Structures are given as structure tokens and as C-alpha cells.
Amino acid sequence: MSLPAPAGLTPDELARARAARGFMPDDEGEALARAAAGADPALGPFLEVGSYCGKSACYLGPVAARAGTVLYSLDHHRGSEENQPGWEWHEPDLVDPEVGRIDTLPRFRRTIHDAGLEEVVVALVGPSPVVARHWATPLSLLFIDGGHGAEVARADHDGWTPNVAPGGLLVIHDVFTDPALGGQAPYDQIYRPAVESGRFTEIDACGSLRVLRRALQLAAGR
Ligand code: SAH
Ligand code: MG
């Protein structure tokens, strides 16, 4: 099964998303928007784990707006392990000097403001498992692009994937089947358990982005 063709973004929206700061290759961002355009908004809103500075929200937000729904964008805004000082993906200008830690929330807010998405993209600021604990709204699309440690990734799987509505989409970033290409946590702790449970089936892939659809009902015996 393949997804509908148009990316769901205007040329201006696409240019803005490409220019936004963050960690999303152009082709994977377009695949993300295309997946969102294929989600059924009647099933519920969109939610992403891992906002950073708002780049993926620039791909998902315009699609949510046109679908008449919203994107909840969750992050504690303190950065993942690999964003901390001394690590490969650290960006020193994002450190709050008084706190001495990364704070991506101001940059995120600015990105969403400049993109005209303040009515559509709703920030959830806090640790993913803490927000997940009391979350009960079914989602038409869940995008997991949060922490890449094994325990953090597993917590995202366990805490969030049950909220994907039957027929809804689970999109996972940074899935690498080959350890030489990247860390294994999203593959081992999110992708594989989702597929192996029988609840999700892969319907599209682009680079390290995987798009799964939740089964309408579990097969007998699961
Ligand atoms: N989607 C973004 C990139 C996200 S980077 C883009 O398109 O550019 C991963 C983000 O996950 C970081 O901003 C980090 O702060 C956040 N994160 C990591 N672990 C988290 C956790 N347990 N709870 C909330 N946010 C977390
Ligand atoms: Mg990522």
C-alpha cells in the first residue's frame, strides 16, 4: 500500500520547513508531511515527541491546519544526550547561560510564530513519560523523534504507541537497521516492538523515517 502523492505543503511552507533549524533531511521531512496528509483527522489530533527548534512541526503543522486538527509538540527542551556540551550534536548558542543548560523553547516558539502556526502547533513542555502517563486522547498520527537512549526510546514506545487510534499512523525517525549508520534504539526499542506486536504494519519508508499503520483490530491470538 502506498501513500497519497502530494506532500501536502505549499512551496512557501516547504521552503520554510527546509530552512528551519533542526535535524530532518529534506526528503524525510517531505515523507513526514506526505504521511500526515494520509492520516485521517477524524481519528484524533497529531502528536510529535521531540520538537527541538520546530523543524518537524513546520512539516506537520500546515498539514494539520488544512485537516482541521492540531499538532501537539512535546519536548522538555533540555536537549537529548547527544545535544549536551561535548557531544556531537551540541549547539552552544542554545545554552541558557543562567541555567547552564540547553533551552530550545525560545527558538521553537519563534519558529512557530514565524511560520504562522501558533493556532495549530501546541507545545507540551515536559518529560515525555510524565506527559504520557495521563494522556488519553487517541491520535491520528504519532511522530516519535525524541531521545535515542534505549530506555528513553522504550519509554516513548510504551507510553505513546497505545494512544495511536486503530487505523492511525505511527511515524518513527532515526530507524537504522545497520549499526554502522546510526544508533539502534529507535529500531530496537520502538520500530521492532511495534511491528512484532502485530499492532503495526509498515506502509512507507524514506531514509531513516518509517511510517506504520495501526491495525484496525488485533489478529486472533494476539
Ligand atoms: N523533531 C526535531 C528534532 C528532535 S531532536 C526536528 O525536526 O528538528 C530530539 C528532541 O527530543 C530534543 O529536543 C530533546 O530535548 C527531546 N527529548 C529527548 N528526550 C526527551 C524526553 N524524555 N522527554 C521530552 N523530550 C525529550
Ligand atoms: Mg531525529
Side-chain angles (χ1 to χ4, degrees), residues 23-24 28 143-146 148 173-174 208:
F23 304 111
M24 181 59 61
E28 297 178 21
F143 175 49
I144 302 185
D145 190 19
H148 289 356
H173 198 224
D174 304 305
S208 73

Side-chain angles (χ1 to χ4, degrees), residues 1 19 33 55 86 111 126 138 151 161 167 181 188 205:
M1 195 186 347
K55 188 176 182 72
T111 303
E151 281 176 23
T161 63
L181 297 178
D188 281 342

Side-chain angles (χ1 to χ4, degrees), residues 12-220:
D12 278 0
E13 290 164 349
L14 195 56
R16 191 177 286 284
R18 286 183 171 173
R21 183 167 178 170
F23 304 111
M24 181 59 61
D26 294 350
D27 57 340
E28 297 178 21
E30 270 189 75
L32 176 62
R34 201 165 54 235
D40 177 0
L43 300 176
F46 300 170
L47 186 144
E48 68 171 359
V49 180
S51 325
Y52 200 62
C53 298
K55 188 176 182 72
S56 47
C58 286
Y59 284 102
L60 291 170
V63 180
R66 273 191 288 281
T69 190
V70 297
L71 169 69
Y72 292 102
S73 182
L74 189 167
D75 204 304
H76 51 37
H77 287 284
R78 294 301 187 194
S80 300
E81 193 177 58
E82 62 269 25
N83 306 127
Q84 304 307 320
W87 288 72
E88 184 179 1
W89 303 107
H90 179 58
E91 304 189 281
D93 64 306
L94 294 175
V95 173
D96 177 336
E98 286 173 29
V99 174
R101 297 182 63 193
I102 282 188
D103 184 359
T104 48
L105 183 56
R107 173 53 50 185
F108 173 84
R109 266 177 86 71
R110 182 63 189 271
T111 303
I112 299 310
H113 169 268
D114 291 355
L117 292 171
E118 287 189 323
E119 301 285 318
V120 179
V121 178
V122 179
L124 300 175
V125 183
S128 174
V130 175
V131 183
R133 199 173 302 147
H134 299 288
W135 188 273
T137 300
L139 303 169
S140 62
L141 178 137
L142 169 64
F143 175 49
I144 302 185
D145 190 19
H148 289 356
E151 281 176 23
V152 175
R154 187 64 195 211
D156 282 342
H157 170 277
D158 294 354
W160 287 106
T161 63
N163 293 301
V164 178
L169 302 180
L170 168 62
V171 187
I172 312 166
H173 198 224
D174 304 305
V175 173
F176 297 105
T177 51
D178 178 357
L181 297 178
Q184 295 292 284
Y187 177 57
D188 281 342
Q189 307 298 331
I190 306 172
Y191 176 89
R192 285 187 46 213
V195 170
E196 288 168 8
S197 71
R199 291 180 302 147
F200 291 92
T201 309
E202 182 168 327
I203 59 168
D204 198 15
C206 175
S208 73
L209 195 88
R210 294 287 182 282
V211 183
L212 315 181
R213 188 185 296 280
R214 183 162 184 173
L216 289 174
Q217 59 185 50
L218 287 177

